[in-house]
Amino acid sequence: MQDRELVLFESFAWRQLEAMALDSWPQEASGWLIGPRSQNAFERITRLDCAESSDARSDFFVLNPVHYARAQFDARRQGQDILGIFHSHPNGAAHPSATDLSWSRSMFGRDRGWLEIIAAVNEHRRLDLSCWRLDDGVYRQCNFRVS
């Protein structure tokens, strides 16, 4: 069995992710994962950029393409890139849904290498997180740690 890919979070980005997920409950939170594009065996997330949704509900969000373009411009100006997306599943599971997969395929194709962090948040403010990479049209789970 092949080892899972490792994704590193800088502590600042990790705290941003936790705060966004918890503060948005019971609505879905979403944000862009920002970091340097890596040629190594791992990605490094340095910060999150809150993704403006044009339809934020507890079970769905629609990302604003203008905000995506602005976030991409800002990241590249700092020598970084959008590496993927974070979003929460209020009162749900920390696994990609069929809707998540369909959206990622439609936005980024089958071979983008897109990262997706999913945070399940319940009414007790408990987080369960998972990390996934879109690879040839399917999600593959990644390991992650905070540095």
Side-chain angles (χ1 to χ4, degrees), residues 13-139:
W14 187 257
R15 287 191 307 274
Q16 282 184 295
L17 187 150
E18 289 178 321
M20 287 170 63
L22 293 171
D23 292 347
S24 295
W25 188 90
Q27 305 300 317
E28 269 205 51
S30 59
W32 305 111
L33 302 170
I34 309 291
R37 190 57 71 183
S38 176
Q39 301 301 319
N40 299 322
F42 62 88
E43 299 283 5
R44 183 170 54 94
I45 309 301
T46 60
R47 66 182 177 88
L48 271 67
D49 189 341
C50 182
E52 295 173 7
S53 176
S54 58
D55 187 14
R57 303 187 318 234
S58 63
D59 63 341
F60 192 77
F61 63 95
V62 177
L63 295 170
N64 182 326
V66 173
H67 185 258
Y68 173 82
R70 186 172 57 234
Q72 182 73 292
F73 177 81
D74 289 343
R76 287 189 175 159
R77 192 176 53 189
Q78 297 172 8
Q80 299 186 334
D81 205 349
I82 294 178
L83 304 176
I85 191 167
F86 144 77
H87 72 279
S88 63
H89 285 175
N91 299 320
H95 297 284
S97 67
T99 302
D100 294 335
L101 182 57
S102 175
W103 180 85
S104 291
R105 282 179 177 166
S106 70
M107 289 292 293
F108 304 106
R110 299 180 62 83
D111 300 315
R112 170 96 162 92
W114 191 249
L115 285 174
E116 194 152 341
I117 307 295
I118 299 174
V121 184
N122 68 23
E123 67 274 9
H124 304 291
R125 298 181 58 84
R126 184 165 180 221
L127 285 173
D128 181 22
L129 291 116
S130 64
C131 180
W132 306 85
R133 176 163 317 266
L134 188 63
D135 180 19
D136 197 23
V138 297
Y139 282 121

